[in-house]
Amino acid sequence: MATVSVRYIVHDVEAAIGFYTGHLGFSVQIHPNDMFAMLNRGDLRLVLSVPGAPAGDGQAMPDGTPTRDEARLAPAPST
C-alpha cells in the first residue's frame, strides 16, 4: 500500500508528538525544530506544524513526496 500523508496544524508540536507517539504508536521520522515534525506508523505519515509555519514553498520532502496536495470536492447532493 502507498504511504498516505496527513497534515495537522497544532499549537504545540512537542505536545502533539507526545500524544501520537505515547498513545497511538507513531514514531518520529524527523523533528528539525519546534514548528514542524513528521511522524509515521505503518503506511501513514503524520505531518505536524504550527499555524503560520513555513510550508516548504512546495518543495518535495526528502523521499520525493510533494508537500502540497489539493482536492476539490463537489457539494454533497441534497436528500
Side-chain angles (χ1 to χ4, degrees):
M1 180 176 175
T3 299
V4 175
S5 296
V6 177
R7 181 175 217 125
Y8 282 122
I9 306 300
V10 299
H11 290 285
D12 186 337
V13 171
E14 294 292 334
I17 289 172
F19 176 79
Y20 286 105
T21 59
H23 295 285
L24 300 178
F26 281 82
S27 300
V28 177
Q29 186 173 353
I30 60 172
H31 181 218
N33 56 50
D34 62 349
M35 296 173 50
F36 177 84
M38 187 182 301
L39 312 179
N40 63 335
R41 182 176 179 210
D43 291 327
L44 177 59
R45 175 183 297 137
L46 188 59
V47 180
L48 306 171
S49 61
V50 297
D57 297 327
Q59 298 173 0
M61 298 304 289
D63 68 354
T65 303
T67 57
R68 294 184 183 158
D69 291 320
E70 182 177 319
R72 294 179 187 256
L73 304 175
S78 58
T79 55

